[in-house]
Amino acid sequence: MSKSISLFFVCGLLSIGLLTAENPIYLNKKYSVEKRVNDLMNRMTLEEKVGQMCQYVGNQHIRATENNMTSEEMQKSDTYAFYPGLHSSDIEALAAKGLISSFTKVLTAEESNYLQAIVQKSRLKIPFLNARGGMHGDAQAFGTTVYPTPITLASSWDTTIVYKIAKETAKEMRVNGCVWNFAPNFDVSTDARWGRIGETFGEDPFLVTQLGLKMLKAYQEPADGNAINMIANAKHFIGGGKSVNGTNAAPVSIDERTLREIYLPPFKAAIEAGVSSIMAAHNELNGVPCHANKLLLTDIARSEYGFNGIYVSDWMDIEYVESKHHVAENMKEASYQAIMAGMDMHMHGPGFFEPVLELVKEKRISEMRIDESVRRILTAKFKLGLFEQGVLDTKVRDSVLFHKNHQQTALEAARKSIVLLKNEKNILPLVKGKYKNILITGPNANNQAINGDFADKQPDENVTTIVEGLKQIDPTCNFDYFNVGDIPHKLNSELIAEAKERATKAELAIVVVGEVSSRWDWKNRTCGESADRAEINLFGLQPQLVSAIAESGTPVILVLVNGRPNSVEEIQKKIPAIIEAWEPGCKGGIAVAEIIFGDVNPSGKLPITIPRSSSQISITYNHKPTHFWHPYLDIPASTPLYPFGFGLSYSTFKYENLQLNKKEINANENVTASIDITNTSNITGDEIVQLYLRDKVSSASRPVKELKGFQRISLEAGEKKTVRFEIKPEMLKFYDVNMKWTSEPGEFVVMVGKSSNDKDLKTLNFTLK
C-alpha cells in the first residue's frame, strides 16, 4: 500500500472518530447504542473488560458496617459488607483505573457524584452503575417515601397503584443516584416460615406476574430522553420461597412440572416484557446452585425464553458456590462455573477479578465469553444515558424526595391494601366520639415496623405510627398508650399484667402485634431477610399479651403488623375484630386509623393463605385433588385459618347470575364469563372479583382451581355492576403427561367469587371440543 493511500485511510478513520482520542464514537450520543458499544469494546483491555463484571459496596456503607458490627457478625451477614485488608482508598484506586463497574449500597447523590468523579479519572471514563433494592420505594435511603411492602401491595390486587408507586420510586431513586433497582421480586412464596414473604407478591403465579409486570414496566419506561429510566431486576431466580425447611438459601427441590407451571411463569413473563437484568437465587435447585446452573440461566432463560439482559449474582453467592454449596474447590472454580453457566456480574468485592483474569489467560474461558457479558453491561449504561448524565443536581433531589404527591400515593396504597379478617357483630367501624377512653398497646403500636424490610430508619416526622394515626383521626378520644417496648422477645409478664390492668379501665383496647423486619435493628428482627422461623405464631409473649387483655373483659381490636402470615388460631376465638395491616409504609398509621373509624372502607384481599399453624405450611389454594386425601387427625387439614383471596368489607356484596356466552368451544375460541354484583349495603365499597378455572379431567393431575383473572371494582350503596372476564385459549393450557404445553378436550369449571373458598364461588361448566 502506498504512503498516500495509507495516509488517506488513516484520515478517513479519524474523520469518523474511530481513532480520535478527543472525540471517540462511544462518547458521541448521535451514534446508535450498538455502534457506541462496539467502539468502546474495541478500545478496552482484558483487565478493563473483567472490571466491568465487578461490583463493590460503597465506602460509606463499609465505614458504617465497621462502626456498628463486629467482625464475626459481618462474616455471617447477608446485607452488611467489608473487605479485610482493603482500605477505602484502595477501592477508589480500583475505580480510578476503570476496574469497578458497579457500586451497591451507595445511598446519596453526594456519594454517587463523588464516586462518578473518581471513575472519570479512568482511561475510558466508563460511568458506574449505582444499584440497590427499592422494592417499596427508595426506602434504604434516608428521607425517602416508604410505600407499603410488596406483600402489602399484593393485598390491594390493584395493578394501577403498583404501577404508580414504581414510577414514583424510580423518580426518587434516580435523583438519589441509583439507576439499577434490584426489583421487582418475582418469587412465588408459599412457606410462611420464610422471612422474605414480605418482599414478594404472594403464593399465586398469576397474581405475582400481573403485579410484577406493572412494576417492571414503570421502572424501565423511557424517561428524560433515555431509552430506559432504570434497569429493573427480576429476582430471585429461582425457588427461594419453596426451600426444604422454610429458611433463606436452604436447598430447593422442585420437579420440572411444578417448576414450569408455578415458579417459572412469572420470570418467563418478565423476560418477554424486556426485563433488563435477573438476579440468581441464593439456593441450589435440585442439587445445583442457581448461580452455577446452566440449565436454568442459559438453556431455559436465554435459549428458550430469549433473555438478553444482565445476570447479576446475589450477595457473595459466587463465593458461596465454594464455601456453602461445596461444588467448587476454590473461588477460581466457582467463578468458572458461574460464568460458564451464564453469570455476567459479581456482587461484590475483590475476590472475582483475579480468578477470572487467570481463567481467560489459561484459555479455560474465552475472551469472547467475557465480551458477551461486557456488551450487555455497557449496553445498559448507554441506554440509561450515564455517559451524558453522570453527575446529579442535589437541588433537584431535594425537591423530589418525600414529595407530597408521593406521600398521598403511599397513603392511598395502604388504604387499599389493609385486610379486615374478622369483624364480629360489626364492632367496626368505631363511631367517632362514642369512646372516651381507648387503650393502645403492643410492640408495633408506635414504631417504624410498619415500614418493613429493606428500609432504613426514616425521620420520625416522615412516618405516622398507628398511635399517631389514631390520635389524628379522632382527636376527641383519650387514647391511653401503654408502651410495652418495640421488641417482641423482650415483652415480659410484668408488662402484660400492667397492660391487663390498664385494659380494665378502658372501654376498648387496640392491640398492635406481629413481626419486626427493621433492618437497622438487625439483632432484634423476627422477620425479613435471613429472619426465618420454625413456628408462625406471634413471637414471644405476644399471644399472652392479647389473651390477657381479652380476659379483662374489654373488647379487643387486634392489628397485625407483619411481613409474613402469623397464625392467630387460638387468639381469634377470643377477640371480635382482626385487621391484617401487613407492613403498610410511612403513612400506614393513618390508613389503619381511617379503617378502624370508618373513614375508609377496607377492601384488601389476602395474596397468600394464612395457615392454622406451621403444620399446615403446605396448604395453598391451588393444591392438587389428592392433597387432603387422608387428613390430619388433630387439625382441619383442608381448611386454612384464612383462605387466599379472602378479605371483609363494611359493605356487603351479592354475586348472582353467572353466565357463559358459550357452552362449547374449539381450541382457538374465547369464552366470556359474566356475573352481576350488587352492593347490598348502605356503604360505598370496593370489591375484588376473582376468576378461577379447573380442568376436570386431564392426562396429568391439575390443581383444584387456578386464578386466571381479577377485577377491582367500586360500587355505590345499592349499585349493581356486571363484571366480564374473557377466558382465552392460553388459559386452558398446561403441561400434559408428555410435558407438552397444550390444552386437552374436555370439561372446564369456571368459578367466580369473592375469595378462593368454595362457598364464596359461583360455578358453571363449558366444554373444549
Side-chain angles (χ1 to χ4, degrees), residues 63-125:
R63 294 186 192 106
T65 301
E66 291 171 340
N67 290 335
N68 297 324
M69 299 181 73
T70 67
S71 177
E72 291 75 17
E73 289 170 337
M74 288 188 282
Q75 291 280 12
K76 297 176 182 178
S77 174
D78 285 332
T79 191
Y80 294 98
F82 76 118
Y83 304 130
L86 198 66
H87 190 265
S88 58
S89 61
D90 298 322
I91 297 173
E92 292 179 7
L94 289 171
K97 293 177 181 177
L99 301 182
I100 297 179
S101 179
S102 175
F103 282 99
T104 187
K105 304 288 186 179
V106 174
L107 301 178
T108 66
E110 288 82 0
E111 186 180 9
S112 180
N113 284 343
Y114 176 75
L115 291 172
Q116 291 289 14
I118 291 174
V119 168
Q120 286 302 302
K121 297 177 183 178
S122 66
R123 185 176 73 89
L124 296 172
K125 306 182 187 304

